[in-house]
Amino acid sequence: MAEFTMELNDEQKEVRDWLHGFAADVIRPAAAEWDEREETPWPVIQEAAKVGIYSLDFYAQQYFDPTGLGIPMAMEELFWGDAGIALSIVGTGLAAVGVLANGTEEQIGTWIPQMYGDANDVKVAAFCSSEPDAGSDVASMRTKAVYDEAKDEWVLNGTKTWATNGGIANVHVVVAVVDPELGSKGHASFIVPPNTPGLSQGQKFKKHGIRASHTAEVVLEDVRIPGSCLLGGKEKLDERLARARERAKQGGERVKNAAMATFEASRPAVGAMAVGTARAAYEVALDYAKTRSQFGRPIIDNQGVAFQLADMRTSIDAARLLVWRASWMAINGKQFTAAEGSMSKLFASETAKKVTAQAVQILGGNGYTREYPVERMHRDAAIYTIFEGTSEIQRLVIARTLSGMPIR
Ligand SMILES: Cc1cc2nc3c(=O)[nH]c(=O)nc-3n(C[C@H](O)[C@H](O)[C@H](O)COP(=O)(O)OP(=O)(O)OC[C@H]3O[C@@H](n4cnc5c(N)ncnc54)[C@H](O)[C@@H]3O)c2cc1C
């Protein structure tokens, strides 16, 4: 187990500086354009692929860093550049982690390369869990997967919503119900291979922020996929379902709101994205406060402004520490006895919302215009308290974990 540390080692610092350079030189200058276009920034993803940032190798290297700091450090730097573009770059990683966590070695080897493509022909992947009537309440999912034994095929039907890269992905990872009696224990994940008939993009959403990231509905109509596309395989699924049925018979509660328990380990990564956006806005505000003069002195000369900046920086550093602690715990197999993953996501995302709003205020009229990046950062920051579990759901998870009570 790696010692917990608050300092990056030399190798990590080198990676951080390299990522920061990419974020500053490639991502940040493109941010306003792709925000206005509301389109996937394919040329930027391609640049990231060329230098090795958009690849499974890079993601896996950071993911398996024994200090746990690889992913949060990478997320913070990329999202410091721009949240929408960075999500377009790391969105595939979320689907890839779904396969890494549940897939067999063969599935990992077959599908993950197809999620990324290569630098000359980049592809993206989507992770489709949320539905119109199943957001926070994942157990209400309706998309069904039915096994056709004669053909060894699964047939998927349903509508997914809010899928990052949904419909434009080469590979979709779809969560579906295989046994409705078991709540979220009766769910399984499937690969929908490229160009599978029956999968189509529904509505593409016009969003408040992270507009360079594509978000859309994914409609599944009699989508037939080979048996080999069930992540983890049929045998493992049957064993898991049998265990869940046994527990249910013995009076085990029907598991509801599985979203609350799952993703605990991946939540610090979202916290790190929020830290990146917050830091970006704080830096712009600090610079501005030192150079903008009113009443014959820089505005930072007023405690009312300087104290805001002091609070902003304090919250950002506190958020990063919570994120790093949870990331270190996750990679070292430490149990989240106080929902530390949720804590880090809750605090960092609320910090990003608050700090970006303060940055807009410090820039005055300029902060309210698209001439300055804090306006975009403020819009972008709102997503962090919503996806991967809303702030209310994080509080629910923390309160339940602390109390051991079924708080509603
Ligand atoms: C830009 C974007 C990208 C996304 N990307 C993906 C993706 O790639 N894949 C994917 O599967 N999903 C994705 N999502 C979906 C996201 O995870 C959901 O939006 C989120 O889980 C919330 O679900 P909901 O929108 O249905 O809100 P709801 O669950 O309807 O919640 C509405 C409000 O009620 C509150 N609430 C609900 N239940 C409770 C409760 N028990 N106690 C207190 N308050 C409660 C919530 O906190 C929230 O404030 C994305 C969403 C967005 C906006």
PDB file of all heavy atoms in Angstrom, residues 345-371:
ATOM      1  N   LYS A 345     -16.746  14.417  -3.723  1.00  0.00           N
ATOM      2  CA  LYS A 345     -17.496  14.913  -4.893  1.00  0.00           C
ATOM      3  C   LYS A 345     -18.450  16.027  -4.484  1.00  0.00           C
ATOM      4  O   LYS A 345     -18.575  17.048  -5.156  1.00  0.00           O
ATOM      5  CB  LYS A 345     -18.256  13.734  -5.524  1.00  0.00           C
ATOM      6  CG  LYS A 345     -18.704  13.976  -6.951  1.00  0.00           C
ATOM      7  CD  LYS A 345     -20.171  14.265  -7.044  1.00  0.00           C
ATOM      8  CE  LYS A 345     -20.622  14.554  -8.440  1.00  0.00           C
ATOM      9  NZ  LYS A 345     -21.994  15.042  -8.511  1.00  0.00           N
ATOM     10  N   LEU A 346     -19.102  15.831  -3.341  1.00  0.00           N
ATOM     11  CA  LEU A 346     -20.043  16.846  -2.843  1.00  0.00           C
ATOM     12  C   LEU A 346     -19.318  18.169  -2.603  1.00  0.00           C
ATOM     13  O   LEU A 346     -19.728  19.223  -3.110  1.00  0.00           O
ATOM     14  CB  LEU A 346     -20.674  16.352  -1.527  1.00  0.00           C
ATOM     15  CG  LEU A 346     -21.492  17.381  -0.752  1.00  0.00           C
ATOM     16  CD1 LEU A 346     -22.725  17.813  -1.539  1.00  0.00           C
ATOM     17  CD2 LEU A 346     -21.926  16.816   0.610  1.00  0.00           C
ATOM     18  N   PHE A 347     -18.238  18.124  -1.855  1.00  0.00           N
ATOM     19  CA  PHE A 347     -17.575  19.371  -1.470  1.00  0.00           C
ATOM     20  C   PHE A 347     -16.926  20.047  -2.688  1.00  0.00           C
ATOM     21  O   PHE A 347     -17.033  21.264  -2.858  1.00  0.00           O
ATOM     22  CB  PHE A 347     -16.527  19.102  -0.385  1.00  0.00           C
ATOM     23  CG  PHE A 347     -15.966  20.366   0.204  1.00  0.00           C
ATOM     24  CD1 PHE A 347     -16.697  21.103   1.117  1.00  0.00           C
ATOM     25  CD2 PHE A 347     -14.722  20.845  -0.193  1.00  0.00           C
ATOM     26  CE1 PHE A 347     -16.201  22.290   1.639  1.00  0.00           C
ATOM     27  CE2 PHE A 347     -14.217  22.029   0.319  1.00  0.00           C
ATOM     28  CZ  PHE A 347     -14.952  22.767   1.242  1.00  0.00           C
ATOM     29  N   ALA A 348     -16.281  19.251  -3.532  1.00  0.00           N
ATOM     30  CA  ALA A 348     -15.589  19.845  -4.685  1.00  0.00           C
ATOM     31  C   ALA A 348     -16.589  20.439  -5.669  1.00  0.00           C
ATOM     32  O   ALA A 348     -16.360  21.517  -6.236  1.00  0.00           O
ATOM     33  CB  ALA A 348     -14.714  18.798  -5.368  1.00  0.00           C
ATOM     34  N   SER A 349     -17.713  19.759  -5.887  1.00  0.00           N
ATOM     35  CA  SER A 349     -18.656  20.275  -6.881  1.00  0.00           C
ATOM     36  C   SER A 349     -19.357  21.537  -6.363  1.00  0.00           C
ATOM     37  O   SER A 349     -19.545  22.498  -7.110  1.00  0.00           O
ATOM     38  CB  SER A 349     -19.666  19.198  -7.299  1.00  0.00           C
ATOM     39  OG  SER A 349     -20.369  18.719  -6.183  1.00  0.00           O
ATOM     40  N   GLU A 350     -19.709  21.541  -5.084  1.00  0.00           N
ATOM     41  CA  GLU A 350     -20.328  22.750  -4.524  1.00  0.00           C
ATOM     42  C   GLU A 350     -19.307  23.896  -4.510  1.00  0.00           C
ATOM     43  O   GLU A 350     -19.663  25.061  -4.741  1.00  0.00           O
ATOM     44  CB  GLU A 350     -20.858  22.474  -3.111  1.00  0.00           C
ATOM     45  CG  GLU A 350     -22.048  21.509  -3.074  1.00  0.00           C
ATOM     46  CD  GLU A 350     -23.330  22.069  -3.689  1.00  0.00           C
ATOM     47  OE1 GLU A 350     -23.443  23.294  -3.835  1.00  0.00           O
ATOM     48  OE2 GLU A 350     -24.224  21.257  -4.042  1.00  0.00           O
ATOM     49  N   THR A 351     -18.045  23.568  -4.257  1.00  0.00           N
ATOM     50  CA  THR A 351     -16.988  24.584  -4.289  1.00  0.00           C
ATOM     51  C   THR A 351     -16.874  25.198  -5.684  1.00  0.00           C
ATOM     52  O   THR A 351     -16.767  26.417  -5.845  1.00  0.00           O
ATOM     53  CB  THR A 351     -15.630  23.963  -3.874  1.00  0.00           C
ATOM     54  OG1 THR A 351     -15.718  23.605  -2.497  1.00  0.00           O
ATOM     55  CG2 THR A 351     -14.470  24.926  -4.074  1.00  0.00           C
ATOM     56  N   ALA A 352     -16.909  24.341  -6.711  1.00  0.00           N
ATOM     57  CA  ALA A 352     -16.775  24.851  -8.085  1.00  0.00           C
ATOM     58  C   ALA A 352     -17.919  25.806  -8.421  1.00  0.00           C
ATOM     59  O   ALA A 352     -17.715  26.855  -9.046  1.00  0.00           O
ATOM     60  CB  ALA A 352     -16.736  23.698  -9.080  1.00  0.00           C
ATOM     61  N   LYS A 353     -19.125  25.436  -7.993  1.00  0.00           N
ATOM     62  CA  LYS A 353     -20.276  26.314  -8.278  1.00  0.00           C
ATOM     63  C   LYS A 353     -20.104  27.666  -7.589  1.00  0.00           C
ATOM     64  O   LYS A 353     -20.316  28.718  -8.188  1.00  0.00           O
ATOM     65  CB  LYS A 353     -21.567  25.652  -7.776  1.00  0.00           C
ATOM     66  CG  LYS A 353     -22.452  25.201  -8.907  1.00  0.00           C
ATOM     67  CD  LYS A 353     -23.614  24.422  -8.417  1.00  0.00           C
ATOM     68  CE  LYS A 353     -24.865  25.248  -8.348  1.00  0.00           C
ATOM     69  NZ  LYS A 353     -26.061  24.397  -8.233  1.00  0.00           N
ATOM     70  N   LYS A 354     -19.675  27.615  -6.323  1.00  0.00           N
ATOM     71  CA  LYS A 354     -19.566  28.847  -5.543  1.00  0.00           C
ATOM     72  C   LYS A 354     -18.400  29.708  -6.052  1.00  0.00           C
ATOM     73  O   LYS A 354     -18.551  30.919  -6.250  1.00  0.00           O
ATOM     74  CB  LYS A 354     -19.356  28.477  -4.068  1.00  0.00           C
ATOM     75  CG  LYS A 354     -19.361  29.654  -3.169  1.00  0.00           C
ATOM     76  CD  LYS A 354     -19.550  29.269  -1.715  1.00  0.00           C
ATOM     77  CE  LYS A 354     -19.461  30.545  -0.884  1.00  0.00           C
ATOM     78  NZ  LYS A 354     -19.100  30.315   0.484  1.00  0.00           N
ATOM     79  N   VAL A 355     -17.260  29.064  -6.267  1.00  0.00           N
ATOM     80  CA  VAL A 355     -16.062  29.817  -6.661  1.00  0.00           C
ATOM     81  C   VAL A 355     -16.245  30.461  -8.040  1.00  0.00           C
ATOM     82  O   VAL A 355     -15.834  31.607  -8.248  1.00  0.00           O
ATOM     83  CB  VAL A 355     -14.826  28.879  -6.644  1.00  0.00           C
ATOM     84  CG1 VAL A 355     -13.668  29.477  -7.421  1.00  0.00           C
ATOM     85  CG2 VAL A 355     -14.412  28.589  -5.208  1.00  0.00           C
ATOM     86  N   THR A 356     -16.885  29.756  -8.957  1.00  0.00           N
ATOM     87  CA  THR A 356     -17.063  30.349 -10.290  1.00  0.00           C
ATOM     88  C   THR A 356     -18.040  31.517 -10.224  1.00  0.00           C
ATOM     89  O   THR A 356     -17.883  32.506 -10.952  1.00  0.00           O
ATOM     90  CB  THR A 356     -17.535  29.303 -11.335  1.00  0.00           C
ATOM     91  OG1 THR A 356     -18.714  28.649 -10.832  1.00  0.00           O
ATOM     92  CG2 THR A 356     -16.463  28.267 -11.632  1.00  0.00           C
ATOM     93  N   ALA A 357     -19.026  31.433  -9.326  1.00  0.00           N
ATOM     94  CA  ALA A 357     -19.959  32.561  -9.156  1.00  0.00           C
ATOM     95  C   ALA A 357     -19.212  33.751  -8.554  1.00  0.00           C
ATOM     96  O   ALA A 357     -19.419  34.905  -8.963  1.00  0.00           O
ATOM     97  CB  ALA A 357     -21.128  32.150  -8.268  1.00  0.00           C
ATOM     98  N   GLN A 358     -18.337  33.491  -7.596  1.00  0.00           N
ATOM     99  CA  GLN A 358     -17.551  34.579  -6.997  1.00  0.00           C
ATOM    100  C   GLN A 358     -16.642  35.216  -8.044  1.00  0.00           C
ATOM    101  O   GLN A 358     -16.452  36.437  -8.064  1.00  0.00           O
ATOM    102  CB  GLN A 358     -16.716  34.041  -5.826  1.00  0.00           C
ATOM    103  CG  GLN A 358     -17.553  33.733  -4.588  1.00  0.00           C
ATOM    104  CD  GLN A 358     -16.737  33.021  -3.509  1.00  0.00           C
ATOM    105  OE1 GLN A 358     -16.131  31.989  -3.759  1.00  0.00           O
ATOM    106  NE2 GLN A 358     -16.723  33.588  -2.316  1.00  0.00           N
ATOM    107  N   ALA A 359     -16.094  34.386  -8.935  1.00  0.00           N
ATOM    108  CA  ALA A 359     -15.207  34.903  -9.979  1.00  0.00           C
ATOM    109  C   ALA A 359     -15.980  35.850 -10.904  1.00  0.00           C
ATOM    110  O   ALA A 359     -15.482  36.924 -11.276  1.00  0.00           O
ATOM    111  CB  ALA A 359     -14.586  33.761 -10.771  1.00  0.00           C
ATOM    112  N   VAL A 360     -17.207  35.458 -11.265  1.00  0.00           N
ATOM    113  CA  VAL A 360     -18.037  36.334 -12.105  1.00  0.00           C
ATOM    114  C   VAL A 360     -18.229  37.673 -11.399  1.00  0.00           C
ATOM    115  O   VAL A 360     -18.077  38.745 -11.994  1.00  0.00           O
ATOM    116  CB  VAL A 360     -19.413  35.671 -12.408  1.00  0.00           C
ATOM    117  CG1 VAL A 360     -20.387  36.674 -13.011  1.00  0.00           C
ATOM    118  CG2 VAL A 360     -19.239  34.468 -13.335  1.00  0.00           C
ATOM    119  N   GLN A 361     -18.500  37.621 -10.106  1.00  0.00           N
ATOM    120  CA  GLN A 361     -18.742  38.850  -9.332  1.00  0.00           C
ATOM    121  C   GLN A 361     -17.492  39.734  -9.302  1.00  0.00           C
ATOM    122  O   GLN A 361     -17.575  40.951  -9.470  1.00  0.00           O
ATOM    123  CB  GLN A 361     -19.165  38.462  -7.899  1.00  0.00           C
ATOM    124  CG  GLN A 361     -19.624  39.626  -7.058  1.00  0.00           C
ATOM    125  CD  GLN A 361     -20.926  40.247  -7.586  1.00  0.00           C
ATOM    126  OE1 GLN A 361     -21.672  39.608  -8.321  1.00  0.00           O
ATOM    127  NE2 GLN A 361     -21.162  41.489  -7.242  1.00  0.00           N
ATOM    128  N   ILE A 362     -16.337  39.107  -9.114  1.00  0.00           N
ATOM    129  CA  ILE A 362     -15.092  39.886  -9.016  1.00  0.00           C
ATOM    130  C   ILE A 362     -14.765  40.558 -10.357  1.00  0.00           C
ATOM    131  O   ILE A 362     -14.199  41.650 -10.395  1.00  0.00           O
ATOM    132  CB  ILE A 362     -13.932  38.990  -8.513  1.00  0.00           C
ATOM    133  CG1 ILE A 362     -14.166  38.660  -7.030  1.00  0.00           C
ATOM    134  CG2 ILE A 362     -12.569  39.655  -8.715  1.00  0.00           C
ATOM    135  CD1 ILE A 362     -13.231  37.631  -6.451  1.00  0.00           C
ATOM    136  N   LEU A 363     -15.157  39.926 -11.454  1.00  0.00           N
ATOM    137  CA  LEU A 363     -14.907  40.547 -12.769  1.00  0.00           C
ATOM    138  C   LEU A 363     -15.985  41.572 -13.142  1.00  0.00           C
ATOM    139  O   LEU A 363     -15.911  42.195 -14.213  1.00  0.00           O
ATOM    140  CB  LEU A 363     -14.791  39.479 -13.865  1.00  0.00           C
ATOM    141  CG  LEU A 363     -13.360  38.996 -14.164  1.00  0.00           C
ATOM    142  CD1 LEU A 363     -12.802  38.141 -13.033  1.00  0.00           C
ATOM    143  CD2 LEU A 363     -13.279  38.237 -15.471  1.00  0.00           C
ATOM    144  N   GLY A 364     -16.981  41.731 -12.289  1.00  0.00           N
ATOM    145  CA  GLY A 364     -18.029  42.728 -12.557  1.00  0.00           C
ATOM    146  C   GLY A 364     -18.706  42.480 -13.901  1.00  0.00           C
ATOM    147  O   GLY A 364     -18.970  41.324 -14.261  1.00  0.00           O
ATOM    148  N   GLY A 365     -18.967  43.553 -14.645  1.00  0.00           N
ATOM    149  CA  GLY A 365     -19.649  43.436 -15.946  1.00  0.00           C
ATOM    150  C   GLY A 365     -18.897  42.498 -16.886  1.00  0.00           C
ATOM    151  O   GLY A 365     -19.509  41.707 -17.617  1.00  0.00           O
ATOM    152  N   ASN A 366     -17.579  42.585 -16.852  1.00  0.00           N
ATOM    153  CA  ASN A 366     -16.800  41.706 -17.728  1.00  0.00           C
ATOM    154  C   ASN A 366     -17.038  40.228 -17.416  1.00  0.00           C
ATOM    155  O   ASN A 366     -17.013  39.375 -18.303  1.00  0.00           O
ATOM    156  CB  ASN A 366     -15.310  42.024 -17.595  1.00  0.00           C
ATOM    157  CG  ASN A 366     -14.933  43.259 -18.389  1.00  0.00           C
ATOM    158  OD1 ASN A 366     -15.544  43.560 -19.408  1.00  0.00           O
ATOM    159  ND2 ASN A 366     -13.923  43.991 -17.918  1.00  0.00           N
ATOM    160  N   GLY A 367     -17.258  39.938 -16.136  1.00  0.00           N
ATOM    161  CA  GLY A 367     -17.494  38.547 -15.734  1.00  0.00           C
ATOM    162  C   GLY A 367     -18.773  37.993 -16.315  1.00  0.00           C
ATOM    163  O   GLY A 367     -18.935  36.774 -16.443  1.00  0.00           O
ATOM    164  N   TYR A 368     -19.668  38.900 -16.685  1.00  0.00           N
ATOM    165  CA  TYR A 368     -20.986  38.498 -17.181  1.00  0.00           C
ATOM    166  C   TYR A 368     -20.991  38.325 -18.700  1.00  0.00           C
ATOM    167  O   TYR A 368     -21.996  38.005 -19.293  1.00  0.00           O
ATOM    168  CB  TYR A 368     -22.005  39.565 -16.751  1.00  0.00           C
ATOM    169  CG  TYR A 368     -23.428  39.096 -16.743  1.00  0.00           C
ATOM    170  CD1 TYR A 368     -23.834  38.086 -15.871  1.00  0.00           C
ATOM    171  CD2 TYR A 368     -24.373  39.649 -17.605  1.00  0.00           C
ATOM    172  CE1 TYR A 368     -25.148  37.640 -15.861  1.00  0.00           C
ATOM    173  CE2 TYR A 368     -25.691  39.218 -17.606  1.00  0.00           C
ATOM    174  CZ  TYR A 368     -26.063  38.215 -16.730  1.00  0.00           C
ATOM    175  OH  TYR A 368     -27.362  37.773 -16.721  1.00  0.00           O
ATOM    176  N   THR A 369     -19.848  38.596 -19.332  1.00  0.00           N
ATOM    177  CA  THR A 369     -19.801  38.509 -20.791  1.00  0.00           C
ATOM    178  C   THR A 369     -18.954  37.332 -21.258  1.00  0.00           C
ATOM    179  O   THR A 369     -18.140  36.798 -20.496  1.00  0.00           O
ATOM    180  CB  THR A 369     -19.150  39.771 -21.396  1.00  0.00           C
ATOM    181  OG1 THR A 369     -17.740  39.745 -21.082  1.00  0.00           O
ATOM    182  CG2 THR A 369     -19.761  41.046 -20.848  1.00  0.00           C
ATOM    183  N   ARG A 370     -19.141  36.997 -22.535  1.00  0.00           N
ATOM    184  CA  ARG A 370     -18.352  35.886 -23.085  1.00  0.00           C
ATOM    185  C   ARG A 370     -16.968  36.340 -23.537  1.00  0.00           C
ATOM    186  O   ARG A 370     -16.217  35.570 -24.120  1.00  0.00           O
ATOM    187  CB  ARG A 370     -19.126  35.205 -24.207  1.00  0.00           C
ATOM    188  CG  ARG A 370     -20.343  34.548 -23.618  1.00  0.00           C
ATOM    189  CD  ARG A 370     -21.024  33.506 -24.426  1.00  0.00           C
ATOM    190  NE  ARG A 370     -22.179  33.063 -23.625  1.00  0.00           N
ATOM    191  CZ  ARG A 370     -23.134  32.297 -24.052  1.00  0.00           C
ATOM    192  NH1 ARG A 370     -23.112  31.845 -25.278  1.00  0.00           N
ATOM    193  NH2 ARG A 370     -24.128  31.952 -23.262  1.00  0.00           N
ATOM    194  N   GLU A 371     -16.655  37.626 -23.270  1.00  0.00           N
ATOM    195  CA  GLU A 371     -15.296  38.108 -23.558  1.00  0.00           C
ATOM    196  C   GLU A 371     -14.307  37.512 -22.560  1.00  0.00           C
ATOM    197  O   GLU A 371     -13.110  37.473 -22.811  1.00  0.00           O
ATOM    198  CB  GLU A 371     -15.233  39.640 -23.432  1.00  0.00           C
ATOM    199  CG  GLU A 371     -16.131  40.389 -24.397  1.00  0.00           C
ATOM    200  CD  GLU A 371     -15.759  40.108 -25.845  1.00  0.00           C
ATOM    201  OE1 GLU A 371     -14.581  40.228 -26.185  1.00  0.00           O
ATOM    202  OE2 GLU A 371     -16.674  39.739 -26.616  1.00  0.00           O
TER     203      GLU A 371
END
